[in-house]
Amino acid sequence: MPPPVLLSVEALSKSYTSQPLFENLSFTISEGDHVGLVGPNGSGKTTLLKILAGVEQPDSGTRALRRGTRIGYVPQDPIFAPGKTVEEVVGVPKILSKAGFTDRTVLTDTLSGGWRKRLAIARELAGEPDILLLDEPTNHLDVDAILWLESLLKSEPEAFVVISHDRMFLENIAGRMLELNRIYAGGMFQTDGRYSTFLERRDELLRNEAAYQDTLANLARREMEWLRRGPKARTTKAKARIKSAEALFDELEEGRDRARTFTAKIDFTASERKTKRLWTGKGIDQWDLFGTAAGGLDILLTPGTRLGILGPNGSGKTTLLRIIAGELEPDAGTIHRADGLRVVYFEQNRESLDPTLTLKRALAPEGDQVVFRDRPLHVASWAKRFLFRPEQLETSVSKLSGGEKARIVLARLMLQPADLLVLDEPTNDLDIPTLDVLEESLQDFPGALVLVTHDRLLLDRIATQILALDGKGNAGYFADYAQALSFRASSEESGPGPASKSKPKGQKRLSYLEQRELEAMEATLLAAERTLAEARERAEDPSIASDATALQECFAQLARAQADVDRLYQRWSELEGKITS
């Protein structure tokens, strides 16, 4: 017997302009439903959630709530009355404790974005909702808070609907997926199962749709040829076939319109610098924020390095990024930057955006063109690359969504050739299709990358190494997110409060042989890079282009030489990481 239905909607439609957000949506939410809601920016997810919550009305259609059903709704940016303590907002000590609040007298005005989101969730849970509606709850949450939220959603509300672009979060909490998207004939695709199951079934659906469109196109071609032959159209049978052909053409065009999907084109420009040591820091520390047991962080950034930084809010992630970007000097340690190092910095709060500017001026400050990779482009074409419509060019930045503002910042950064990309939470407000494109672009970037993100899937796929900060003054390097998570768990077992930075017993210094290896490393690397340059020159020699065997051997030598250089830089980083101060 299916579980009782708590909330149902029938034939919902909503428009804000001449272009409808969605039309004729129908679905139900039943007891025990754990629903993830996804879709591209502008598809109407937030509006749909507001309609489910009863805070906004549809243009047409019905919303039916089972009698006595309680709904909790947490918007993207929750609002609290000023001057209130967290206890006054929630009123239930047990719920406050579950949300991680140890001091009930804290004023809401002093809370960070992440703690405000926790408080908003706690406030709704205090009302014991039958359905909890959450709009982008992981925005502004650090990884620890996301793990807390995952655990909470698995145990607390009877049913929930969550809008999120965090793919691993969706995988862990959803038992059913809904996607709002105009590519579907009904405007929505829904399926039971986790996010990974949803991806598989959606791909199958789209493949079938593409095959069906091919069939329609073949039928349309045959009907067009028949019409061009000038049929004797006055017979009843011919008239029926003409009418059927017209309906076929309409259906084909409608399908093509739905299939025209757009994603932002993100492609960072590298400076093509040959220098290998781009940025080096020794003993970097900022009092009371981060460090290591030895008293500071050692960081080496070379082309191809993709360093992910993980840690709770307040552990110093953004501070460290500002130090690497050159915006802040550390309290301790030494820094060496390659001559003329070009750094591109994506700041978390989009502070570089002037809200009074129009979109056109934000994208092209000095005229109607931008120059991308030495090629001039009209600002309208550049805007289209980032999913902006021509009629939006005169729109004020202040009126744009968070995702649109993030795309402006990415567009501006792409115009700057970079040796080093420093990205602070670039995924906030980006939809999943844009995240996929960003991920591919970061993987292809040949320079160095330092990334702070709460998107664990992006971190796992992009980072070659993870630096985990625990917020108590400890740090460690790890191969992947799973290892870093173990570090977080062991750090929690050490209890609250700042950890000691004294040198632990048994910490190893370099052995005699390792010290000799480090001293000779620079000369070893120079020799390896000369070998690499010679191998590259041989591979590019036009005289052997026609000799397939010789060419294959040259490329094999080139691959071996490149592998040797990469291995030596990795070893150099490992040895320097072992040095204690």
Side-chain angles (χ1 to χ4, degrees):
M1 183 175 179
V5 173
L6 299 173
L7 173 66
S8 64
V9 295
E10 186 73 28
L12 286 187
S13 297
K14 185 70 175 180
S15 300
Y16 281 124
T17 63
S18 58
Q19 179 72 38
L21 280 176
F22 46 78
E23 295 179 288
N24 297 315
L25 296 182
S26 299
F27 59 92
T28 61
I29 306 297
S30 301
E31 285 185 1
D33 264 350
H34 292 178
V35 181
L37 176 58
V38 297
N41 288 338
S43 59
K45 301 185 298 296
T46 291
T47 300
L48 177 58
L49 206 67
K50 287 179 179 179
I51 292 173
L52 296 181
V55 300
E56 192 163 322
Q57 297 301 312
D59 294 339
S60 60
T62 59
R63 167 188 177 269
L65 192 64
R66 191 182 72 176
R67 180 176 297 178
T69 298
R70 297 180 299 271
I71 289 185
Y73 171 57
V74 181
Q76 284 192 40
D77 299 304
I79 299 173
F80 305 101
K84 297 286 187 181
T85 67
V86 296
E87 185 171 35
E88 288 174 317
V89 169
V90 176
V92 184
K94 183 180 178 182
I95 297 294
L96 272 177
S97 178
K98 281 189 176 183
F101 288 92
T102 55
D103 184 355
R104 302 174 195 168
T105 65
V106 172
L107 295 176
T108 60
D109 313 61
T110 65
L111 296 176
S112 67
W115 282 103
R116 289 177 69 84
K117 191 65 70 73
R118 281 196 189 220
L119 184 63
I121 294 170
R123 178 174 62 183
E124 297 307 314
L125 288 177
E128 299 182 344
D130 300 295
I131 306 174
L132 184 62
L133 307 175
L134 300 164
D135 193 352
E136 290 289 358
T138 62
N139 271 4
H140 307 296
L141 295 187
D142 58 29
V143 171
D144 286 355
I146 293 174
L147 293 171
W148 160 80
L149 180 58
E150 286 180 359
S151 175
L152 185 77
L153 291 177
K154 291 173 182 176
S155 62
E156 280 292 337
E158 290 295 321
F160 61 76
V161 180
V162 178
I163 296 174
S164 182
H165 299 143
D166 187 323
R167 296 160 291 181
M168 190 175 288
F169 175 71
L170 290 169
E171 177 72 13
N172 291 338
I173 59 96
R176 180 179 165 208
M177 291 295 305
L178 305 179
E179 183 183 13
L180 268 183
N181 201 318
R182 297 187 187 96
I183 64 174
Y184 306 120
M188 173 180 279
F189 173 61
Q190 52 182 314
T191 184
D192 291 334
R194 295 179 178 274
Y195 178 71
S196 53
T197 304
F198 153 75
L199 292 178
E200 292 170 0
R201 292 176 179 169
R202 183 190 66 178
D203 289 348
E204 181 182 5
L205 173 72
L206 294 177
R207 283 195 300 271
N208 291 340
E209 177 67 18
Y212 178 62
Q213 288 297 310
D214 287 343
T215 300
L216 282 185
N218 289 332
L219 285 172
R221 276 193 295 271
R222 286 201 296 270
E223 293 303 287
M224 184 63 72
E225 290 170 1
W226 177 76
L227 287 170
R228 284 171 177 164
R229 287 199 298 268
K232 296 175 180 178
R234 303 306 150 241
T235 68
T236 301
K237 187 175 181 181
K239 287 179 181 178
R241 184 170 178 180
I242 291 171
K243 187 174 181 180
S244 175
E246 290 171 349
L248 175 63
F249 299 149
D250 289 343
E251 183 181 359
L252 181 62
E253 187 57 32
E254 180 186 343
R256 285 172 172 168
D257 285 342
R258 291 200 312 271
R260 291 189 184 103
T261 56
F262 301 95
T263 54
K265 298 177 182 177
I266 301 170
D267 190 5
F268 293 103
T269 303
S271 67
E272 300 183 359
R273 170 193 288 270
K274 302 302 182 185
T275 311
K276 291 297 183 181
R277 291 172 69 91
L278 299 176
W279 196 98
T280 306
K282 297 280 292 178
I284 301 300
D285 207 351
Q286 200 78 3
W287 306 139
D288 300 323
L289 278 180
F290 52 80
T292 63
L297 293 170
D298 293 338
I299 300 174
L300 173 64
L301 302 175
T302 64
T305 298
R306 296 200 290 268
L307 177 64
I309 301 178
L310 191 64
N313 289 338
S315 59
K317 302 187 297 294
T318 294
T319 299
L320 180 56
L321 291 192
R322 292 182 65 202
I323 290 172
I324 293 172
E327 289 194 351
L328 187 68
E329 289 299 318
D331 290 333
T334 59
I335 292 172
H336 179 266
R337 299 178 179 87
D339 291 340
L341 181 71
R342 286 182 277 193
V343 180
V344 166
Y345 180 34
F346 181 103
E347 79 277 35
Q348 180 180 165
N349 298 319
R350 334 291 201 231
E351 292 172 354
S352 64
L353 284 180
D354 182 346
T356 66
L357 292 178
T358 63
L359 170 62
K360 179 179 179 179
R361 279 292 151 259
L363 291 173
E366 299 177 358
D368 292 337
Q369 291 186 331
V370 299
V371 178
F372 178 59
R373 296 185 174 175
D374 300 323
R375 186 165 67 93
L377 290 173
H378 192 274
V379 64
S381 298
W382 187 242
K384 185 178 179 181
R385 185 183 179 112
F386 296 91
L387 310 184
F388 294 109
R389 303 182 305 277
E391 60 267 27
Q392 288 182 282
L393 288 175
E394 298 304 325
T395 302
S396 170
V397 167
S398 63
K399 295 181 180 179
L400 299 176
S401 69
E404 288 169 329
K405 290 175 182 175
R407 296 203 300 268
I408 294 174
V409 176
L410 288 170
R412 288 160 58 148
L413 298 185
M414 280 176 51
L415 299 176
Q416 308 171 46
D419 306 304
L420 170 61
L421 289 179
V422 180
L423 306 180
D424 193 357
E425 294 290 4
T427 64
N428 277 352
D429 304 309
L430 295 182
D431 59 21
I432 290 175
T434 306
L435 281 175
D436 290 338
V437 177
L438 175 65
E439 185 178 296
E440 291 176 9
S441 181
L442 294 180
Q443 286 174 332
D444 291 340
F445 180 68
L449 165 68
V450 183
L451 171 69
V452 168
T453 180
H454 64 258
D455 189 317
R456 293 159 291 171
L457 192 62
L458 181 72
L459 201 62
D460 252 353
R461 290 178 173 175
I462 292 297
T464 56
Q465 191 176 40
I466 291 178
L467 171 62
L469 311 173
D470 72 350
K472 303 173 185 177
N474 297 304
Y477 284 100
F478 302 92
D480 54 30
Y481 167 74
Q483 285 188 9
L485 191 62
S486 299
F487 166 75
R488 182 193 66 85
S490 63
S491 176
E492 285 180 352
E493 292 172 2
S494 67
S500 168
K501 288 190 180 182
S502 59
K503 177 176 173 290
K505 293 180 181 179
Q507 180 172 345
K508 294 181 179 180
R509 296 176 180 271
L510 290 181
S511 68
Y512 172 75
L513 291 177
E514 286 175 329
Q515 185 64 43
R516 293 289 300 272
E517 182 184 5
L518 179 61
E519 291 170 356
M521 183 59 73
E522 191 158 0
T524 305
L525 259 170
L526 286 173
E529 288 185 333
R530 281 196 298 271
T531 301
L532 176 61
E534 291 166 359
R536 184 176 289 112
E537 187 176 340
R538 284 195 297 273
E540 294 172 354
D541 187 348
S543 65
I544 65 166
S546 59
D547 188 336
T549 302
L551 193 61
Q552 185 176 4
E553 176 58 28
C554 282
F555 278 112
Q557 291 174 357
L558 180 61
R560 287 194 295 270
Q562 183 66 62
D564 283 343
V565 169
D566 293 342
R567 176 184 55 78
L568 287 169
Y569 272 107
Q570 180 63 32
R571 180 58 176 160
W572 195 353
S573 179
E574 290 171 1
L575 292 172
E576 290 196 328
K578 286 186 176 183
I579 299 175
T580 60
S581 58

